[in-house]
Amino acid sequence: MKLWNSNPKWPWPHDDDISKYIDVPEWWLVGYEEVRGFLRGLTKAQLSTVGKSAGGRDLTVVYYGPKKPERTLCATGGTHGTETEGIASITNIIKLLESGADLRGKKWPAFQRVAKRVGFYLMPLYNPDAAARSPVKSYVGMPIDLKDPSDGVHHLHIGFWKNGRLLNRKRVFGPWTPQSDVAGRLDRIAYLGQRFNDAGRLINRPRSRKKSMAVETMQMLDYLKNNEIDCYMDLHSHSSPPWLGICPPQHTSGDHEQLVKLHELTAKMTKRAGGPQLALSQQDPSRWYNSHFFPANLGIYAVTYEAMAGFKGNYPDDKPWQEIWLANAYNGMHTILGLAQALLKVPSPWK
Ligand SMILES: [Zn+2]
């Protein structure tokens, strides 16, 4: 009799134990269940919701700031579930604004000062469906091979069919096409990776200026509009040094010159706050990302941030993992701080 294998080798193609990527510092608060529990324990935060994910999970947002903020900023982590660096940055900011110190006990007086003027809408899990299915909490030390994508990172991130083949990377990473989503083909998927919601829709590839097939993004569009949020920030990670991207002029209905000014000021203020030297980039118009979709529809500011993930090869082999986690969490926090300070220097797009 052939039995179902409840413990298949996938998605992990290596000899080492995948559980080592769950073993993270206590202050690296990124797991779906832990983050949900952490949010339930907050007493000073104002909680609201964007709606429900495709899989029915709550899209919780935590607000800290004055009643009448001068500017508002919405930062979201975990758009791609295994990119936990942004989740760690956001949960540490939540702890800081809740209690006066981050999850390591560090105080950030400049952050506390800017939170008296800027309202922070903080969403640790933009794609909770992916977070809930993620088998890891960290990329630190994980093997990656960009030329041979049968490695750990790609298996975890992209997902694969029941025949073992990875999903087509061009369709998953390229501009949206009807073949990019796997809705309607879910019965052929063995593991859905970290870029899709539970409906098999790419979370960060709107179909066009007007429409995203991901319910999360369509609801976020309403949420940003209803709360008149000035700026949206989407946190990711990959192999580049800390990086900040904005949309090209044709992807915003707002003032692109002010967006460029915000972009440059953010780099300056992030550095001044003790953060990284951000690589600045303007994306090409060949594809839609959420950080283009919201400016196109609302005229608001938006940026995409990429942390330098802890994959093998991104950092020297002898660099202690603790230092990589620390750099990842704090670089994101410094960038959010720099962005909030810079936002006070440009006009609100809603005025
Ligand atoms: Zn990403």
mmCIF file of all heavy atoms in Angstrom, residues 80 83 157 195 236-237 306, ligand 1:
data_model
loop_
_atom_site.group_PDB
_atom_site.id
_atom_site.type_symbol
_atom_site.label_atom_id
_atom_site.label_comp_id
_atom_site.label_asym_id
_atom_site.label_seq_id
_atom_site.Cartn_x
_atom_site.Cartn_y
_atom_site.Cartn_z
ATOM 1 N N HIS A 80 6.406 39.897 0.760
ATOM 2 C CA HIS A 80 6.872 38.555 0.416
ATOM 3 C C HIS A 80 7.259 37.875 1.734
ATOM 4 O O HIS A 80 8.139 38.352 2.445
ATOM 5 C CB HIS A 80 8.045 38.636 -0.560
ATOM 6 C CG HIS A 80 7.639 39.265 -1.871
ATOM 7 N ND1 HIS A 80 8.402 40.201 -2.517
ATOM 8 C CD2 HIS A 80 6.532 39.077 -2.626
ATOM 9 C CE1 HIS A 80 7.772 40.558 -3.640
ATOM 10 N NE2 HIS A 80 6.638 39.902 -3.722
ATOM 11 N N GLU A 83 10.711 37.384 3.405
ATOM 12 C CA GLU A 83 11.536 38.592 3.573
ATOM 13 C C GLU A 83 11.161 39.208 4.914
ATOM 14 O O GLU A 83 10.449 40.201 4.994
ATOM 15 C CB GLU A 83 11.316 39.534 2.391
ATOM 16 C CG GLU A 83 11.784 38.907 1.079
ATOM 17 C CD GLU A 83 11.320 39.650 -0.175
ATOM 18 O OE1 GLU A 83 10.869 40.799 -0.081
ATOM 19 O OE2 GLU A 83 11.413 39.055 -1.256
ATOM 20 N N HIS A 157 11.057 30.660 -1.698
ATOM 21 C CA HIS A 157 10.482 31.950 -2.094
ATOM 22 C C HIS A 157 9.500 31.829 -3.256
ATOM 23 O O HIS A 157 8.444 32.453 -3.253
ATOM 24 C CB HIS A 157 11.627 32.903 -2.459
ATOM 25 C CG HIS A 157 11.183 34.311 -2.664
ATOM 26 N ND1 HIS A 157 10.855 35.141 -1.616
ATOM 27 C CD2 HIS A 157 10.997 35.032 -3.792
ATOM 28 C CE1 HIS A 157 10.482 36.307 -2.102
ATOM 29 N NE2 HIS A 157 10.551 36.279 -3.417
ATOM 30 N N ARG A 195 5.295 34.595 -2.595
ATOM 31 C CA ARG A 195 4.920 35.790 -3.351
ATOM 32 C C ARG A 195 3.422 35.851 -3.651
ATOM 33 O O ARG A 195 2.937 36.835 -4.197
ATOM 34 C CB ARG A 195 5.721 35.843 -4.658
ATOM 35 C CG ARG A 195 7.231 35.907 -4.403
ATOM 36 C CD ARG A 195 8.031 35.885 -5.683
ATOM 37 N NE ARG A 195 7.929 37.090 -6.465
ATOM 38 C CZ ARG A 195 8.661 38.185 -6.304
ATOM 39 N NH1 ARG A 195 9.566 38.236 -5.342
ATOM 40 N NH2 ARG A 195 8.507 39.235 -7.086
ATOM 41 N N HIS A 236 11.043 45.106 1.723
ATOM 42 C CA HIS A 236 11.465 43.833 1.119
ATOM 43 C C HIS A 236 12.921 43.551 1.489
ATOM 44 O O HIS A 236 13.562 44.324 2.182
ATOM 45 C CB HIS A 236 11.379 43.933 -0.410
ATOM 46 C CG HIS A 236 9.988 44.034 -0.925
ATOM 47 N ND1 HIS A 236 9.337 42.980 -1.506
ATOM 48 C CD2 HIS A 236 9.116 45.074 -0.935
ATOM 49 C CE1 HIS A 236 8.123 43.360 -1.864
ATOM 50 N NE2 HIS A 236 7.964 44.625 -1.537
ATOM 51 N N SER A 237 13.452 42.437 0.919
ATOM 52 C CA SER A 237 14.893 42.195 1.019
ATOM 53 C C SER A 237 15.345 41.411 -0.191
ATOM 54 O O SER A 237 14.585 40.644 -0.774
ATOM 55 C CB SER A 237 15.239 41.422 2.293
ATOM 56 O OG SER A 237 14.806 40.081 2.200
ATOM 57 N N GLU A 306 14.534 47.837 0.139
ATOM 58 C CA GLU A 306 15.097 46.480 0.115
ATOM 59 C C GLU A 306 16.251 46.413 1.112
ATOM 60 O O GLU A 306 17.243 47.145 0.968
ATOM 61 C CB GLU A 306 15.667 46.143 -1.276
ATOM 62 C CG GLU A 306 14.657 46.140 -2.395
ATOM 63 C CD GLU A 306 14.131 44.747 -2.760
ATOM 64 O OE1 GLU A 306 14.466 43.768 -2.057
ATOM 65 O OE2 GLU A 306 13.386 44.678 -3.751
HETATM 66 ZN ZN ZN B 1 10.197 41.126 -2.089
#
